Amino acid sequence: MIIKRTINFYPNKGKAKGDGNAPLRCYIRYNNISVTINLGYNVNINGWNADTQRCKKNTAHDAQNIPAAYINKQINACEEIINNCFEVFEQKEQVPTKDELKELIDIRTGKKKEN
């Protein structure tokens, strides 16, 4: 079984600060279910490439001037974790609920401990 899904990354412009930085979000859509995850970084809206869904090269983000390459690595890692979580459910032949997917992602990212 393969679960068709889309995984998109974007800055939440609605919560942008005065310095042009906005929280980085991941939006997952599958089986008419939507899940949004905050990645814990703020990206400069002017340094974001909407087509590639990554930070533009040689830009700095957040108040700490985090390099684009570092944030892009974190985005790639997050995307890989999400795809691995879906593979777990695909092997079980099960479409996860929103809560089941979020819980497994939180466990895999270390935000939550496994029971």
Side-chain angles (χ1 to χ4, degrees), residues 13-25:
K13 294 178 183 176
K15 298 209 175 189
K17 298 175 185 161
D19 59 2
N21 288 310
L24 181 58
R25 298 283 165 85

Side-chain angles (χ1 to χ4, degrees), residues 31-71:
N31 223 40
N32 292 326
I33 299 171
S34 301
V35 178
T36 304
I37 299 170
N38 186 358
L39 295 185
Y41 297 98
N42 289 311
V43 295
N44 189 303
I45 294 170
N46 294 327
W48 182 256
N49 184 329
D51 293 331
T52 62
Q53 297 181 26
R54 300 294 187 270
C55 297
K56 293 178 184 174
K57 290 183 180 185
N58 301 321
T59 57
H61 300 269
D62 211 342
Q64 294 85 19
N65 289 321
I66 300 169
Y70 180 80
I71 293 175

Side-chain angles (χ1 to χ4, degrees), residues 64-83:
Q64 294 85 19
N65 289 321
I66 300 169
Y70 180 80
I71 293 175
N72 288 341
K73 271 187 183 178
Q74 299 304 312
I75 292 170
N76 291 339
C78 180
E79 191 169 33
E80 187 174 333
I81 288 169
I82 292 166
N83 282 319

